Amino acid sequence: PTTGAHIVIPDTSSINNCVLDTSRTIGSLTIQTNGTLVGGGNKLIIQSEGDASGGTEHFAVKNDGIVSGNLDLEFTFAGETAADFTGSSGNFQNVKLNASGADVNQVGAATFDGTLIIVANATYDAGNDGLTVAGALTNNGTLTLNGSTVNLGSTSTEAGDVTGSGTFNLDTSTINYHTAGGANFIPSTSANFDTNTSTLNLIGLNGSNRAHNFTFASGNMHNITTSRGAGTDTHTDTLNGNCTITGDLTVGANSNFSTGSRVFTVNGDVDVTGQLISNGSDKPMTFGSLTINSGGTYLATSGTTTIKGNASSSSNLALNIDSNATFTHNSGTILFDGTNTFGGSSYGHFYFGDKTFNNITINASGKFIQPRKSSTTTLDINGDLTITAGQLSNYNNDIIWDIAGDVDVSGTLGITDSTGAYSFGSLTINSGGTYNATSGTTTITDETSGGYGLINSGTYTHNKGKLKIDFNTPNKDAHTIIQVNDLYDLEIDMNASNYEVKFDDTSGNATNILNNLDITQGVFESKDNGDTLTIHGLTRITSNGTFMPDANHDTNKIIHNGLVTNSGTYKINDGTTVKMNGGIRNLGTITVA
């Protein structure tokens, strides 16, 4: 053909094959139903929007026939045109929009056996009928996918890299990206993405590693899923930049999704059946919700994992860890940050399985965060529990809390009808904070850096439960102080008979034990002069126990309304008023200093 000619390969059996013997420059191309064009590894350069349809709509390419033999297309004109690429058999190889202002609108589905390249200021609109690109996709202009399904590579063939600094209009499209270690989704950080609800499926073809970029000058990816395309080995997709996903992340079986050392945010649900890995990074992760299914793994950041809401598929469930899943806290913090979120619900529940957490923080004003048991009844926290706002309370009343570190409450901890045993390293109830104690036993096993096992500057509601100061079980050599107005039962069990627990009431100098006091081991005494202590029930002092030994406090007032049974040491300071309204049974030593 001569340069600029409009080429028609007709629908006729008399022309079996039209062979392109070298690369040519033409105006437009039409292949009719039974027409055949053999590329021979050559290229057709399309230099006008054409009139291949013979009607009012301009087609630069209209293929209803057969293409074979590695035929490339290159568009070199400025202007808008339509292109129908897919005929009855065969596909074009490599397609390139190579002119500023070129605007190609795909009609029908299209499959390219090679690459698709869009240069700066060129536009390719895939419509919504489907697009398949076997090789690399480069977009430095504008790529519009509308609601189409895009296949990059196939279940048996790896795609090429997705690159470019142009505009990606993904809309509601689904992109199936097949990777085997040599291909990466890496548009430039200067690329622009629209506000979309698309889904990118990362389909691994082997156990290799890939590194993807989802950080752009504007816009974000919406949904991302990882899955295994063939075989059983595990493939890994890694972030190579900070990333925000506006929709959901789904990590399928035999898939690893690694955040590397990147800040990672998923506004929607995170659902893990494979592995979600932080690689030991301390960078924050933020999720709308987190579900770790049976067989799934979350290797947490050593920084903070923030959970902001409930899963869309499960009412009130913010964190769901299956008992057959793997959760590794890596010394990090789980933060439930649910103010005005949780899908409008007042509750955010979490199944903890049999997993151990490091730190948990609640910052959810007006919301109830509630642990739920599955295979075990014990919530284990190796580090600290901090309630900045909102309420942490059991969904199942018999859940046991075992918190090794400091518990700091500015919101509300506990619920009135809980019966499980609670163990805290220390407990600080700040002004405005509330502790609704279990009706079982609250055990304090350590103290704050200021030497207090319990500080109450807010509200302590005992619910007829016992407070036990137990430094004996963890074998901790220390003294401690408790500051609280009204207790129900109190037990002291220190690590040796000479270690002290001091009661300190800075408000009114009056402490009330509404039921029994048991000194199993250690010393129980007042912290300051003028303190008043009333025990309404029984006082029981074992052979390893001592009551009120401090000779420096001589203006205190001690009232026993129940029987005092002393098998250890009971010391009365000179000047201290002691009333034993229920009598005393002394089997030990009583001294007056």
Side-chain angles (χ1 to χ4, degrees), residues 331-580:
S331 301
T333 297
I334 298 289
L335 167 61
F336 291 93
D337 187 5
T339 303
N340 299 321
T341 59
F342 293 105
S345 173
S346 296
Y347 296 90
H349 297 166
F350 68 97
Y351 281 107
F352 51 84
D354 57 354
K355 314 311 172 191
T356 299
F357 298 88
N358 185 48
N359 301 320
I360 290 182
T361 298
I362 310 297
N363 182 27
S365 180
K367 308 294 181 181
F368 296 83
I369 308 302
Q370 296 184 314
R372 300 175 67 165
K373 65 182 182 181
S374 48
S375 62
T376 182
T377 59
T378 301
L379 173 63
D380 283 315
I381 301 176
N382 279 349
D384 301 332
L385 169 64
T386 303
I387 304 176
T388 304
Q391 181 167 351
L392 178 67
S393 58
N394 284 334
Y395 180 84
N396 309 100
N397 293 333
D398 60 343
I399 289 177
I400 298 167
W401 294 354
D402 189 357
I403 303 170
D406 298 326
V407 177
D408 191 279
V409 182
S410 296
T412 300
L413 174 62
I415 194 168
T416 301
D417 52 1
S418 286
T419 59
Y422 296 168
S423 179
F424 306 145
S426 70
L427 174 60
T428 299
I429 309 166
N430 300 301
S431 177
T434 297
Y435 174 53
N436 291 314
T438 172
S439 60
T441 299
T442 298
T443 302
I444 304 296
T445 62
D446 206 339
E447 58 189 358
T448 66
S449 58
Y452 279 80
L454 169 61
I455 303 173
N456 177 34
S457 301
T459 301
Y460 181 104
T461 303
H462 57 71
N463 290 317
K464 295 186 177 181
K466 175 187 284 189
L467 175 67
K468 182 177 181 179
I469 310 300
D470 181 6
F471 284 21
N472 189 16
T473 300
N475 194 25
K476 180 176 178 60
D477 294 336
H479 309 282
T480 195
I481 306 168
I482 60 173
Q483 180 190 94
V484 62
N485 290 338
D486 293 327
L487 300 170
Y488 190 69
D489 286 325
L490 175 63
E491 180 181 354
I492 305 298
D493 188 8
M494 302 301 282
N495 200 34
S497 60
N498 62 322
Y499 287 114
E500 302 169 351
V501 175
K502 297 182 179 182
F503 69 87
D504 174 21
D505 188 347
T506 60
S507 175
N509 298 317
T511 297
N512 291 299
I513 300 174
L514 301 176
N515 201 36
N516 301 325
L517 169 65
D518 288 278
I519 305 176
T520 302
Q521 181 165 268
V523 178
F524 185 59
E525 66 169 306
S526 63
K527 178 177 179 291
D528 300 307
N529 278 332
D531 286 337
T532 296
L533 173 65
T534 301
I535 302 103
H536 295 272
L538 303 175
T539 300
R540 294 173 291 216
I541 307 167
T542 70
S543 59
N544 291 321
T546 300
F547 184 78
M548 302 297 293
D550 197 334
N552 296 320
H553 299 164
D554 56 8
T555 62
N556 298 334
K557 185 176 182 180
I558 309 300
I559 302 172
H560 297 279
N561 287 327
L563 175 66
V564 177
T565 301
N566 176 39
S567 298
T569 301
Y570 193 110
K571 290 187 176 182
I572 302 173
N573 301 325
D574 187 15
T576 297
T577 299
V578 178
K579 292 184 178 182
M580 295 187 177

Side-chain angles (χ1 to χ4, degrees), residues 87 116 121 134-135 177 186 192 213 222 227 265 378 404 416 437 441 454 461 505 534 542 580-581:
L116 173 61
N121 298 316
Y177 188 51
I186 47 174
N192 294 283
N213 175 57
H222 189 65
S227 63
T265 299
T378 301
T416 301
T441 299
L454 169 61
T461 303
D505 188 347
T534 301
T542 70
M580 295 187 177
N581 297 327

Side-chain angles (χ1 to χ4, degrees), residues 5 61 79 104 130 190 195 203 240 256 259 311 362 377 401 448 476 587:
V61 174
V104 175
S190 61
T195 301
I203 304 169
N240 65 4
N256 292 343
T259 63
I362 310 297
T377 59
W401 294 354
T448 66
K476 180 176 178 60
L587 303 174

